[in-house]
Amino acid sequence: MSLTSFVALPEVKNRLKQEYETPRIQCVQEIQISPRTQSYGLTGTAFDYLMRFWIETLNPNAETKRWVAESSVVLLEEGQLPASSALKKTARKLLKEAVTCHSDYIKTCKLNDDIISTSIQLAQLDAIYRAGYIDPNLGKVDKLIIDEMRDMLILAKEKDFTAKSYCALNPVFGEASLLVGGADADLIMDGTLIDIKTTKSGKMDMSQFHQLIGYFILNKIGGVNGKQIKINRLGIYFSRYGELVTFPAEDIENDKFPQLVKWFRKTAENTQ
């Protein structure tokens, strides 16, 4: 189970709806980059990787962790998923090439087809660990997705993603992450927790709001990357709009919040 799945459980969703009304938060402008394929999930995961790499170039001291795609290759190598020798060889090759391409990009900071293609291939590998899904097109890249991702990244503003003091990419929440299957957020920067979305809608919906609440609660339980981090704001970066929208954490942390944290933890433990 993932955090997304957990907060979608009827019991959890209803409790969060009871506690909070979804804020009316949306982008100011119209959508700038529309989808060019129907590979929505792949494009979303791939763009998460690409954004992570770009943010690394802006924040050389950012805290990072192992890619989920690396865990996928480990699963295949250890035989935890059925895989042919050819598939294992392909996965190893893609990961090795990705490490080299990522290193080159961090050094040069030059956006090109190679780093975008690498992000897509890592997203294909990513699905093996997260969903047990082996993409039949593993290693193959659609040029339409490359162009779409490049245009979305061009929309991103450096000022929105350059930290003054603290930046953590794909942060985990210690033992709390394990409560919901190993949850990791997209980004925490200077006290703001940010989720990156490639959705066509530029409005924060209830499920997205509940996911942010979930991350906020997990931080209260387990901290971030082994330490306590004060989160002052939460928000979503709508990559197809080039807009970052946030709201104050105090909207969540009301008088009833401590009881909600206890309930959340107990419910997660009972769901495992």
Side-chain angles (χ1 to χ4, degrees), residues 34 178 181 189 226 238:
S34 296
L178 301 179
M189 188 176 66
F238 291 97

Side-chain angles (χ1 to χ4, degrees), residues 95-194:
L95 182 58
K96 182 178 180 181
E97 291 174 347
V99 170
T100 300
C101 187
H102 167 261
S103 178
D104 290 342
Y105 175 64
I106 296 302
K107 291 176 184 176
T108 65
C109 302
K110 292 182 179 179
L111 180 65
N112 53 38
D113 284 3
D114 289 341
I115 191 61
I116 301 175
S117 295
T118 288
S119 300
I120 296 170
Q121 290 166 344
L122 286 172
Q124 292 171 331
L125 288 172
D126 195 290
I128 297 174
Y129 181 84
R130 292 192 189 274
Y133 173 71
I134 298 175
D135 192 326
N137 296 312
L138 184 64
K140 299 178 182 179
V141 175
D142 189 331
K143 184 65 164 57
L144 288 175
I145 299 179
I146 292 177
D147 294 340
E148 183 180 334
M149 288 175 55
R150 178 187 295 105
D151 290 346
M152 285 194 291
L153 188 61
I154 289 172
L155 284 180
K157 303 174 183 65
E158 289 190 10
K159 67 179 180 62
D160 287 339
F161 297 98
T162 302
K164 295 178 181 178
S165 59
Y166 180 77
C167 179
L169 296 162
N170 291 101
V172 294
F173 304 95
E175 63 175 18
S177 286
L178 301 179
L179 292 173
V180 289
D184 61 326
D186 286 333
L187 171 68
I188 295 177
M189 188 176 66
D190 293 335
T192 300
L193 188 150
I194 301 168

